[in-house]
Amino acid sequence: VKYLIASDCVYNQFGIITRICVKKNIKTFFLYYLSRGMYEIKLATFDKKINSFKNPYYDYHKIFKKKIKSQKEKNSALKLGKKMLVSRLSGNIKSGIPYLDKSPFNSNKINHVNLFNKNSYQNLLLLHNFFDAPHKYRNFLYNDYLEWASETIKSLINTKINTYIKFHPIVIDKKADAEAKKVILKLVENRANFKVIDAKVTYTDLINNGLKSAVTCHGTAACELSYFGVKVLNCGDNPHVDYNFSIHSFNKKDYLRKLKNIDKIKLKIDKKQLYEFFYMHFYYLEHKNFKNKLDENLIIKDFKNKSNEFKAQYNNSSKYYNYVIQKDLNEGS
């Protein structure tokens, strides 16, 4: 075997064979895509530093300084990064989060009686999909998302921090999410400083009510809510780790200490870092530099009139693989 082409590397059926091939120096590729393959697909190689096919998020700033040399180019890049970020925050879900049918930044003008007092310290716990893979980055401080969520809640129970709990909008496995929800609802039952908020409550509603901080493992909230001055605490490795517009923690003791004192942490958010991250993460290493960029007709049959990627239809012929093989031979890579 000279090549392995896998569709992921974080689940058992992909992760085990991927690591075997990498260890044996078998060239390992992934069909890496944007928007679940609706727009662009590329051939990505396995990065041993992060045990993943993800872009080198740990070196974004270094790459930015090295590859984008003139100040004029840097200014243009930051301008584009800002434009993309502001577009997302204005309700456009096409930039980086196309799997959502509705933007979390469109206000629904929720009755504020259902929220915490505007003058209190308000925190937001953003839960992940409980069926999905928590170990998609270099390290995760817990065994799974439910263990993380449970310990986070228990650590906040005896504090004066008022915490909203927001479940992830996407459900992959109903049983997994339902079982996790039972555990979480039991933990916060009759707790005055916790509110499980309705899915209709958006980030904009919470920000308008005085939201001060948020907690996630590695969610996009770190590069979104930060724009509004909201402190975001990440649990473990995450794609924003090369910048300090959010708070990072790399061991459980440090995470729990920062969590319990999140209301006291001072964080100065440099928006230029946000713009740079957005440019690198969602443009430079995505749209701009797609190696083996694919003609959409090779694999995508019809997507222009679909509302989201789950309704896309795909060409299941061998044309894409023939394209990849020929490209590889021609480029000698």
Side-chain angles (χ1 to χ4, degrees):
V1 175
K2 295 191 180 291
Y3 300 97
L4 169 70
I5 301 178
S7 61
D8 215 322
C9 66
V10 295
Y11 301 98
N12 287 342
Q13 62 266 45
F14 310 120
I16 294 173
I17 187 63
T18 295
R19 283 155 179 75
I20 290 172
C21 289
V22 169
K23 188 173 182 180
K24 291 181 175 293
N25 294 317
I26 294 170
K27 203 160 190 178
T28 305
F29 297 103
F30 299 87
L31 301 184
Y32 180 79
Y33 46 76
L34 295 181
S35 307
R36 305 249 174 175
M38 286 182 70
Y39 303 110
E40 292 171 300
I41 298 177
K42 72 176 177 180
L43 200 63
T45 52
F46 189 85
D47 185 344
K48 291 183 180 179
K49 289 185 179 179
I50 51 176
N51 285 329
S52 175
F53 62 90
K54 294 181 181 296
N55 290 322
Y57 56 86
Y58 53 87
D59 261 348
Y60 278 173
H61 186 56
K62 181 180 177 181
I63 296 170
F64 182 82
K65 290 195 298 182
K66 182 178 179 181
K67 298 292 185 180
I68 306 170
K69 297 179 180 179
S70 73
Q71 190 58 48
K72 184 178 179 180
E73 288 178 307
K74 285 180 169 62
N75 290 340
S76 295
L78 293 176
K79 186 177 180 180
L80 178 56
K82 179 180 180 179
K83 182 179 179 181
M84 294 174 69
L85 174 56
V86 171
S87 175
R88 178 186 291 194
L89 301 181
S90 66
N92 185 345
I93 63 173
K94 295 295 183 184
S95 180
I97 48 172
Y99 52 83
L100 297 181
D101 288 327
K102 295 181 181 179
S103 170
F105 288 96
N106 288 328
S107 177
N108 286 324
K109 298 181 180 178
I110 296 296
N111 186 341
H112 284 67
V113 172
N114 298 320
L115 302 178
F116 286 116
N117 184 289
K118 196 168 186 177
N119 297 319
S120 67
Y121 188 91
Q122 300 172 59
N123 179 50
L124 172 64
L125 175 56
L126 289 160
L127 301 179
H128 296 267
N129 180 278
F130 291 100
F131 180 78
D132 212 352
H135 303 280
K136 58 185 67 136
Y137 294 97
R138 286 175 295 185
N139 60 71
F140 186 59
L141 308 185
Y142 294 89
N143 289 314
D144 56 36
Y145 288 133
L146 181 57
E147 184 180 270
W148 161 73
S150 298
E151 185 155 359
T152 297
I153 290 169
K154 290 174 183 176
S155 297
L156 290 170
I157 283 176
N158 295 318
T159 69
K160 294 181 180 180
I161 298 170
N162 287 330
T163 299
Y164 298 107
I165 296 178
K166 188 174 179 65
F167 284 87
H168 198 276
I170 299 299
V171 176
I172 299 176
D173 184 284
K174 290 183 179 180
K175 184 178 179 181
D177 271 28
E179 289 300 316
K181 194 168 187 176
K182 286 180 185 178
V183 173
I184 289 167
L185 292 178
K186 185 68 176 176
L187 283 173
V188 300
E189 189 176 18
N190 299 321
R191 300 288 181 179
N193 61 330
F194 285 92
K195 283 184 183 289
V196 177
I197 55 176
D198 189 275
K200 293 180 181 178
V201 179
T202 67
Y203 290 158
T204 302
D205 295 319
L206 296 176
I207 291 167
N208 289 340
N209 195 59
L211 183 69
K212 296 292 189 296
S213 62
V215 183
T216 180
C217 290
H218 33 238
T220 58
C223 63
E224 298 165 340
L225 295 177
S226 298
Y227 181 84
F228 299 98
V230 176
K231 294 178 289 187
V232 180
L233 172 61
N234 302 280
C235 180
D237 194 28
N238 64 86
H240 319 96
V241 74
D242 210 28
Y243 300 93
N244 57 20
F245 52 74
S246 60
I247 306 162
H248 307 290
S249 54
F250 300 106
N251 63 69
K252 195 178 292 188
K253 183 178 179 180
D254 181 59
Y255 168 68
L256 294 175
R257 178 181 62 80
K258 288 175 177 174
L259 174 68
K260 293 175 184 177
N261 294 282
I262 196 166
D263 56 332
K264 301 178 184 68
I265 294 175
K266 303 294 182 184
L267 179 66
K268 186 177 180 180
I269 298 170
D270 183 354
K271 287 188 177 180
K272 285 186 178 179
Q273 288 192 11
L274 280 169
Y275 306 153
E276 183 179 308
F277 169 80
F278 244 74
Y279 175 79
M280 295 300 294
H281 194 67
F282 295 109
Y283 179 74
Y284 184 81
L285 290 165
E286 297 288 78
H287 298 283
K288 183 175 173 61
N289 288 289
F290 252 63
K291 181 183 177 184
N292 294 346
K293 188 171 179 179
L294 176 65
D295 177 345
E296 64 191 31
N297 294 321
L298 288 177
I299 194 166
I300 299 174
K301 186 175 181 181
D302 176 23
F303 66 87
K304 292 182 180 178
N305 298 318
K306 305 301 180 183
S307 61
N308 63 51
E309 81 280 8
F310 293 109
K311 296 179 182 178
Q313 298 176 28
Y314 299 93
N315 181 340
N316 62 358
S317 73
S318 297
K319 289 182 179 180
Y320 178 68
Y321 292 95
N322 291 332
Y323 169 85
V324 167
I325 293 166
Q326 191 61 42
K327 199 78 173 174
D328 183 67
L329 292 173
N330 290 342
E331 294 186 359
S333 57

